[in-house]
Structures are given as structure tokens and as C-alpha cells.
Amino acid sequence: MTMDSLNRLDISAKHERDFRRTILIVDDEPVNLRLLGNILGDEYDIDFAQSADEAISIIQSEKDAISLVLLDLHMPGKSGFAVLDEMRADKDLHNIPVVVVTTDKDAEVESLHRGAVDFLGKPYDKPEVIKARIGRAIELFIDKTIIGATGIDRLTGLMTKDFFFQYCQEYDKFHPEQQVDALVVDLSKFHLINDLYGRNFGDSVLKAMAEGIRTIARTFGGVACRHDADCFYLYIEHQKDYEYLKKTLIDKLFEVMNTTKARLRIGVYPDLYRSCSLQQRFDRALQACNTLSRNAHDTEVAVYDNEMHEKELYEGHLLADIGAALENNQISVAFQPKYDIGGEQPVLCGSEALIRWKHPKFGYVQPDFFVPLFEENGQIKELDRFVWSETARQIRRWKDMYGLTVPVSVNVSRADIFAPDLLDFLSGIVAENGLENSDLSLEITETAYTDSVTSIVEVVNEIRSRGFKVAMDDFGKGYSSLNMLTNLPIDALKLDMGFIKDIAIDNKEMHIVEFILEVADFLGVPVIAEGVNTYEQYHLLKKAECDIIQGFYFSKPLTSAEFGSLIERNRGLIRC
Ligand code: C2E
Ligand code: CA
Ligand code: CA
């Protein structure tokens, strides 16, 4: 598809969504319905109602879709006024514009008083006049909702983030001497609350949070907003400690949750001298917030400190140096062996490609540290493609040297998945090296699935239909419902290392692993356990019929040369 046709597609999609609006025509006379329907049907979708009661019930159930109501005042039974009154009394409906149709001058005035925005005379005006007046009424209504939507968050009544930042700037202008705190308040695991108790309940939790946040903003002379779903920003006078603030929020949450399950993570950046920009202050508050575990048992507060500042500087260096790193061969790939433990003795059966960065000043930088950094700014795509290309070349070299194809899995970051040329790129590197698509498997982390289930399932289906294998990485770290798991298109499940850590000391952990193995067995997919460090862990996993193991117990990640020697030593034994 060319760029041009993509653009065209986009525009028409926007047109469909944005410009085709629905009008409800309320009239007891079928002939009038037909007449108005004919005049307006070209431009709008039309709904009909023939009585006040029917109209009210349609407006209530379709309130998000209806852009305007065209209302006849004279109907047998309840008149059109009843519809107007009902709409005005309901805060969800009173914004929908109503144009009344009547012959009676007094009724026109009366209906404007009761909330109608315009009227049409009977017999009907010219079609052009009707269309123009209706078009204008709808336009006015849209303007009003945009103003409402950009300034105030509909659910919580707090400011939206854009408005908030403007307001903070104003605040700074008028209070130049005031010492201030930027705060980020995050509700841990909010998606769980939504999933377990339903969206309505989730909304009431957010509203309660917002109330607490508003109280604090008022008490401490500041402003607040809802930044995204479950994350709030506060800009307030500097506090000596944050105990009162914490308690106010917890008490509010307790009112709705009536349980101590809900926890908050609060990050603070106190800027006593206004030394950095607003955005930077909130970034730092967020950084402080992110040092707190999402799994903590209590609400906690983290204040940005020196250590975090050092980390920020270090990250800055890494971000600046990555380009040179790629050019100067500082990036390489390590291969960690995987062993099939189904038989009498473990057999080498493949490996995982892992990125390595040897920085000239800092030495080896941990992928756990730099991968998330480049995931955030999108550069992970470039790094991953480097690793994939290098891996494909390496599989070829081993094939030439030892006459066998070692299956290697590569990590695919969330940022890679939706790249339109993902499959072309992968097929390209495989073809260039004379390999099959099935020689490469892709590890996609579980949390990517839980982020956006439907769209990812489509992509994964496509990847698999082209012959690549897909493993779900870090399984158990995110949270997939069993139901989702049964619908997922995958070839293997990689158990998160966190599970393996304690299986030899805690029976409960082992039971969980056994349960997952049963589920995988039911689904017919093999399980790879990684992070296996000890003989005890290996032994327990083997007993539980886990299929494949990757971990320091067998081998650390190796250079390509070391992995080559391993192949050599295992000749005849390898199941590749
Ligand atoms: P991961 O994909 O879960 O990779 C497994 C990590 O566990 C590797 O760390 C590996 O060295 C380590 N590991 C293996 N066996 C053991 C063990 O027995 N004990 C312990 N404690 N650790 C073990 P590494 O190479 O530091 O990578 C960390 C993470 O960085 C990876 O986790 C992955 O999320 C990411 N990563 C690594 N390479 C790439 C890459 O090329 N692309 C992307 N997008 N992410 C990568
Ligand atoms: Ca992995
Ligand atoms: Ca993993």
C-alpha cells in the first residue's frame, strides 16, 4: 500500500467517524417523519420516535450517539415539552441540542425557556433552511463539548493535563517566591480493580481518589489533574512531610474500597529554588514514584533524591551514546543455551539471543537497565533489528560450520510489534542467510499481550502464519486470565524467572508452577523455565515434567565462539 493510499484511507475513516452524525426525529405523524427523514437522510443517520415516551427511552439509551433531537411539540399523550423537561433534568442529556417544530409562536418562546436551542415552523420551511439551521445547532453543540472536554476531565471533574500545565505556569508567574512540590499519585494495579469489580466500581474508586486529591490541592493552595487513567498530578506548596497527604488519600480510598487492598505510590519532587522546568519536575516526581514497587503492601511515598539524580545523569549519558555504540561495535549478541530435559539426560536444543553493550567508560551495561530506556524513546527498534540480523547471520555461520540449524529465539519488544514492516524485515534477514522462517522464534513478553489483547493477537497470528514461532516471555509476571490464554496463538510459554526463584524453598511456589505446567499441557504448548540456577530447581522441574530449561545451572549466556565450542562438544547429542 502506498503512502498516498494510506493517507486517503485515514481521511475517509476520520470522515466516517467524525462527520456522520445521528439525528432523532420525534413526530407522531408518519408522513412528517418521512418528509424530514428524506430531507436530512443524505447527511445524517436518522432515528425515529412517535411519542414522548419512546423518544425519552431512545435518547437515554443512545445518548452518546445522538447529536440532535428534532422534536414535534404537539403529540397525543405527553407533549414535546415533557421530552424537553426530562432532558433538562438529566445531566447526561441536557447537553444534547433540541430543535422544536411548531406552528405556535407562544410555544416557541416557552420551548426556548425549557432548553430548546432553535425552532422550525410548520408547514416546513425550505429544505435548505432546515438543513442550515440543524447544521448550525449541531456545530454549536460540538464546540461546547470540545471546550468542556479539553479543560475538565469528565469522570472526575479535575483538570485535564493540558489545562493543568497551563495553570501551573500561571501559578509560577504569580507566586515566584513560593517553594513548590510536584507530586505524582498512582493507584497500583488499577486494572485489577477494573477487571475484578467492573468498570463502574473502578470509576467510583477514581472519583473518590479525585475527591481526596482535590481536598489536598485546596488545603495546600495548589492545583491537581488526572494525568492518565489512574495517575494524578498535584502541584502544591512545599510540605515538610507527606503524612497528612498520604492519610487523606488513603482514608478517601478506604471509603469506597472498604479494604486495605488498594495502594498508592506517591512520588515527590520538591523544587525549592525553581531550578528546572515544570515538565522536568513532574518527570522527576514520576521517576521517584517508579522507584516504588507496584506490588508493595502499603501506600508509600518516595521523594526524589541524589541517587535518583545520579541515575538520571547516567541515563542521559546512555541515551546520548547509543548511536556511537552501534557504529563502533560496542553492541554484540550473547547466546544462552536451552536444554530439553524430557529424556534421560539433558540435551542442548537451542538458545536465546541476548543483547550486550560494552560501554567504553561504564563497561558492560545491564540490558535490564538500558532496554527499558530505549523502549521508552523508541530506539529499541533499531537495537532489536541489529540483534535479529546478527542472530540470523550467526545461525547461518553455525550451519556452515557444524551442518545443523540451531533454533534461536530473539526478544521482540512491545515497540517492535506494530511496525508495519516487521514481517518483511524478519523474512528479509532469514532469506538473506538462506534460512527458514521457522528457524527463528520470537519472544514477546506477556505484559505486551495484556496491554492490548485483540490487536496483538492479530499480529501474532500473522507472524505465525508466515512460519515464525512465537513464545510468550515472562509468563506470570503480567497477568493473563486463563480464558485469554486459551485463545492465544503461541508455540511456547516461558515461565517468568520470579517463579523459579523460590520453588526449592517454598512449596506454594512449586504448586503454582505445577499448575501452569498442567495448563500448558492442556493447551499443547511446551514450557521453558528460565533462571534455573541450582540442581534442586532443575530436579523439581524435571519431576514436574517441564520441557525445556534455560539458566545459569546449565550455562550463562555465551559469546558466539563459546556457543560454537558447546555445539562441538555436544555433537551427536544435540536435538536441533
Ligand atoms: P529475559 O528476556 O527474560 O532474558 C533472560 C535474562 O535472564 C537474561 O538477562 C539472562 O542472562 C538472565 N538469566 C538467565 N539465566 C539466569 C539465571 O539462572 N539466573 C539469573 N539471575 N538470571 C538468568 P539479560 O541478558 O541481562 O537480559 C535481561 C532482560 O533484558 C531480558 O530478559 C530482556 O527482557 C531484555 N533483553 C535482553 N536482550 C534483549 C534484546 O535483544 N532485545 C530486547 N528487546 N530486550 C532484550
Ligand atoms: Ca526473553
Ligand atoms: Ca524472560
Side-chain angles (χ1 to χ4, degrees):
M1 197 180 285
T2 63
M3 218 31 229
D4 206 44
S5 63
L6 266 179
N7 281 341
R8 266 207 306 281
L9 267 185
D10 265 348
I11 289 164
S12 64
K14 186 173 161 45
H15 188 270
E16 279 296 315
R17 208 175 44 242
D18 286 348
F19 299 118
R20 187 94 189 158
R21 304 191 183 277
T22 301
I23 293 180
L24 172 68
I25 302 179
V26 189
D27 201 314
D28 58 311
E29 292 278 350
V31 61
N32 289 341
L33 291 180
R34 209 166 320 129
L35 196 78
L36 287 169
N38 277 343
I39 295 175
L40 299 167
D42 280 345
E43 255 177 272
Y44 302 98
D45 290 334
I46 307 290
D47 266 356
F48 295 110
Q50 287 188 276
S51 69
D53 284 332
E54 193 189 353
I56 291 165
S57 100
I58 293 179
I59 295 166
Q60 277 167 343
S61 63
E62 310 277 352
K63 60 178 181 290
D64 294 327
I66 293 175
S67 291
L68 181 131
V69 179
L70 196 52
L71 177 67
D72 181 21
L73 284 183
H74 299 286
M75 292 184 286
K78 281 189 200 162
S79 78
F81 285 134
V83 178
L84 277 172
D85 293 345
E86 190 88 24
M87 288 177 72
R88 201 161 51 151
D90 186 329
K91 73 175 180 6
D92 285 332
L93 309 182
H94 77 265
N95 268 334
I96 302 175
V98 181
V99 172
V100 296
V101 183
T102 176
T103 43
D104 178 353
K105 284 283 165 218
D106 290 341
E108 280 174 12
V109 179
E110 177 67 24
S111 52
L112 291 179
H113 278 308
R114 294 193 188 202
V117 295
D118 203 352
F119 49 81
L120 293 174
K122 254 185 188 176
Y124 292 116
D125 297 312
K126 285 198 196 124
E128 287 76 8
V129 176
I130 296 178
K131 278 189 192 168
R133 293 182 90 151
I134 282 178
R136 201 191 49 166
I138 290 181
E139 255 168 47
L140 284 174
F141 160 70
I142 294 164
D143 274 349
K144 213 163 90 193
T145 38
I146 287 173
I147 293 164
T150 48
I152 300 296
D153 172 46
R154 273 167 183 243
L155 180 70
T156 61
L158 290 176
M159 289 180 200
T160 57
K161 58 184 169 191
D162 293 337
F163 203 54
F164 171 77
F165 275 102
Q166 279 173 25
Y167 208 98
C168 292
Q169 257 156 7
E170 292 295 309
Y171 180 98
D172 279 358
K173 242 191 269 166
F174 291 109
H175 305 85
E177 304 300 327
Q178 177 63 49
Q179 298 187 322
V180 281
D181 286 342
L183 277 98
V184 169
V185 180
D186 179 67
L187 193 54
S188 301
K189 299 193 175 167
F190 178 67
H191 64 284
L192 274 182
I193 297 179
N194 254 345
D195 286 1
L196 291 175
Y197 306 107
R199 272 197 89 87
N200 282 344
F201 184 73
D203 283 353
S204 61
V205 171
L206 289 176
K207 282 188 205 158
M209 269 291 280
E211 235 176 87
I213 296 268
R214 192 179 292 116
T215 307
I216 287 164
R218 290 206 179 123
T219 317
F220 298 132
V223 282
C225 76
R226 180 154 83 118
H227 192 264
D228 8 83
D230 50 356
C231 185
F232 298 82
Y233 279 20
L234 270 161
Y235 193 55
I236 55 175
E237 288 174 10
H238 173 59
Q239 305 298 304
K240 282 206 176 60
D241 70 64
Y242 301 92
E243 284 311 306
Y244 171 79
L245 187 149
K246 187 166 121 179
K247 186 169 176 324
T248 308
L249 291 177
I250 296 174
D251 287 351
K252 260 284 163 250
L253 267 187
F254 198 75
E255 280 174 21
V256 260
M257 292 287 287
N258 196 17
T259 135
T260 45
K261 266 191 227 146
R263 276 162 212 110
L264 303 171
R265 300 184 308 143
I266 303 173
V268 188
Y269 181 69
D271 192 348
L272 306 189
Y273 312 106
R274 303 279 177 89
S275 50
C276 53
S277 74
L278 267 173
Q279 187 62 52
Q280 214 168 6
R281 284 180 239 165
F282 280 98
D283 285 350
R284 288 178 172 179
L286 185 63
Q287 203 180 322
C289 182
N290 284 337
T291 60
L292 300 171
S293 160
R294 283 170 209 278
N295 301 321
H297 293 295
D298 283 313
T299 290
E300 289 181 66
V301 180
V303 180
Y304 188 88
D305 60 16
N306 242 343
E307 200 179 312
M308 293 178 206
H309 188 55
E310 293 292 320
K311 182 169 172 254
E312 194 183 326
L313 291 178
Y314 180 52
E315 286 177 355
H317 283 299
L318 297 183
L319 286 166
D321 295 347
I322 190 69
L326 275 163
E327 277 168 25
N328 302 332
N329 300 324
Q330 293 166 24
I331 308 286
S332 61
V333 184
F335 298 90
Q336 186 170 33
K338 290 179 196 166
Y339 286 83
D340 183 332
I341 58 166
E344 228 160 72
Q345 51 175 321
V347 173
L348 178 64
C349 68
S351 81
E352 175 179 5
L354 294 160
I355 191 165
R356 293 291 173 260
W357 179 3
K358 192 172 182 197
H359 190 283
K361 192 158 141 215
F362 308 128
Y364 278 107
V365 189
Q366 291 292 328
D368 272 337
F369 187 78
F370 72 81
V371 166
L373 209 57
F374 295 112
E375 271 176 340
E376 214 165 286
N377 78 355
Q379 276 179 297
I380 191 70
K381 285 190 219 136
E382 211 181 324
L383 293 174
D384 277 345
R385 287 180 180 209
F386 173 87
V387 172
W388 306 343
S389 306
E390 192 48 39
T391 299
R393 276 197 290 274
Q394 193 55 57
I395 300 176
R396 176 77 244 169
R397 281 184 216 122
W398 286 326
K399 195 166 178 172
D400 292 341
M401 289 164 82
Y402 307 110
L404 50 87
T405 309
V406 184
V408 185
S409 57
V410 293
N411 288 287
V412 175
S413 170
R414 224 168 306 188
D416 299 312
I417 299 172
F418 297 108
D421 64 338
L422 173 72
L423 277 169
D424 289 345
F425 184 87
L426 287 167
S427 308
I429 54 172
V430 165
E432 271 166 35
N433 292 287
L435 305 172
E436 304 288 326
N437 288 356
S438 57
D439 297 338
L440 208 57
S441 62
L442 312 179
E443 297 192 3
I444 302 179
T445 185
E446 183 202 7
T447 47
Y449 285 87
T450 41
D451 277 356
S452 51
V453 183
T454 37
S455 40
I456 217 156
V457 166
E458 277 169 33
V459 180
V460 170
N461 271 330
E462 213 180 321
I463 296 174
R464 293 181 74 231
S465 75
R466 297 273 283 267
F468 297 98
K469 300 220 172 69
V470 173
M472 188 194 268
D473 202 359
D474 309 322
F475 178 74
K477 197 171 179 178
Y479 101 105
S480 318
S481 63
L482 281 181
N483 182 28
M484 179 183 121
L485 203 57
T486 51
N487 294 317
L488 277 185
I490 47 166
D491 300 285
L493 212 82
K494 281 193 98 168
L495 260 182
D496 184 55
M497 275 191 271
F499 285 114
I500 309 302
K501 208 169 82 227
D502 292 333
I503 50 171
I505 35 180
D506 186 344
N507 254 339
K508 231 166 51 199
E509 291 288 306
M510 190 59 211
H511 287 320
I512 296 176
V513 171
E514 280 164 354
F515 174 67
I516 295 175
L517 285 165
E518 272 170 40
V519 174
D521 190 40
F522 170 75
L523 297 175
V525 292
V527 173
I528 304 161
E530 62 182 336
V532 179
N533 256 317
T534 64
Y535 171 77
E536 287 76 22
Q537 291 167 340
Y538 157 66
H539 184 67
L540 282 167
L541 287 163
K542 183 170 167 59
K543 225 171 57 188
E545 296 182 8
C546 175
D547 308 273
I548 294 168
I549 275 185
Q550 175 187 341
F552 294 171
Y553 173 65
F554 282 122
S555 170
K556 297 210 159 166
L558 305 173
T559 62
S560 52
E562 287 168 339
F563 197 92
S565 316
L566 185 73
I567 299 176
E568 189 115 39
R569 284 201 303 278
N570 282 271
R571 270 192 182 204
L573 256 181
I574 306 175
R575 190 171 304 143
C576 287

